[in-house]
Amino acid sequence: MSSHDPADSADRHAAAPAPPGPPGQRHHARQQTDDEFSAFYRENIRPLTGFLINHGAAVQVAADIAQEIMTDAYRNWDRITHPKAWVHKAASRALVRKIASVEEPVGEVAEPTSLLPRPDAIAEWEAQHDALPLLRSLPMKQSQVLAWTLAGFTPTDIADHLGLPAENVRANLKKARRAAAAYLRAREEEE
């Protein structure tokens, strides 16, 4: 992880600091940083959005949170040592804050974005992803651990990032996998 915790973004709206050195070197360093972040963004924005959806967020909420977290990551890029873990942890925390808030969810997205090119197709997209009903039916800890697992993190990584004992993560993952197997068996029997 980095020495900068995503929960401590007091400087959320501050621009990324300019690297030290003469203007030519600063420009080159800034360009290199922008290129690194751009590649990271392109590779991780959609999986991060999917991670949040797997966590139980609606597609619009997941897209908004993912974009907000990527903006924070860009602002703190020079202090983040493990960006993939950083954005997942920050996104997970942001979703928990969103769920805990009294804010009313947006009924519909007014205009298309790169993450939601056809906002009217959200229900169609959700229907195509069979795991969503399963993930939404699981208890919070089980769906959380399964969402992190589906994002490519190991139980040890998940325990570290969530501050939980590894045994708890493994136990919740085992329960979630059992529930998934039962869910798939029931679906097969219906067909």
Side-chain angles (χ1 to χ4, degrees):
M1 221 42 197
S2 77
S3 59
H4 177 74
D5 191 336
D8 298 333
S9 282
D11 58 337
R12 280 184 98 109
H13 303 289
Q25 284 180 331
R26 284 195 307 256
H27 175 73
H28 178 69
R30 180 89 238 137
Q31 185 62 46
Q32 184 177 355
T33 298
D34 287 351
D35 291 346
E36 288 173 10
F37 179 79
S38 181
F40 173 78
Y41 179 92
R42 283 191 308 274
E43 183 179 329
N44 289 281
I45 188 65
R46 287 181 188 253
L48 183 62
T49 304
F51 168 76
L52 290 164
I53 292 167
N54 288 342
H55 245 314
V59 175
Q60 301 97 326
V61 171
D64 287 346
I65 291 173
Q67 189 62 44
E68 178 184 317
I69 296 308
M70 285 296 197
T71 301
D72 284 348
Y74 177 72
R75 289 184 181 125
N76 296 292
W77 192 249
D78 60 330
R79 295 180 282 188
I80 299 172
T81 55
H82 301 290
K84 182 179 177 186
W86 191 94
V87 297
H88 280 78
K89 185 174 184 178
S92 184
R93 288 180 176 181
L95 180 59
V96 168
R97 283 191 304 272
K98 180 82 170 171
I99 291 169
S101 75
V102 293
E103 207 175 301
E104 290 294 318
V106 175
E108 61 184 71
V109 176
E111 58 191 60
T113 69
S114 61
L115 295 174
L116 298 171
R118 286 185 36 226
D120 59 322
I122 291 170
E124 176 185 319
W125 181 90
E126 286 179 331
Q128 291 174 352
H129 291 81
D130 291 339
L132 289 176
L134 165 68
L135 286 164
R136 291 183 177 153
S137 72
L138 294 173
M140 177 68 165
K141 286 293 180 191
Q142 290 177 28
S143 66
Q144 183 181 40
V145 168
L146 193 54
W148 278 85
T149 301
L150 292 171
F153 291 90
T154 67
T156 304
D157 293 336
I158 298 166
D160 183 44
H161 298 309
L162 298 179
L164 299 171
E167 302 79 41
N168 291 13
V169 171
R170 286 184 186 92
N172 280 310
L173 186 56
K174 185 176 182 179
K175 290 175 188 175
R177 286 178 174 158
R178 273 196 220 140
Y183 174 81
L184 292 172
R185 276 193 304 275
R187 293 215 43 203
E188 286 176 1
E189 290 172 3
E190 288 175 3
E191 295 175 359

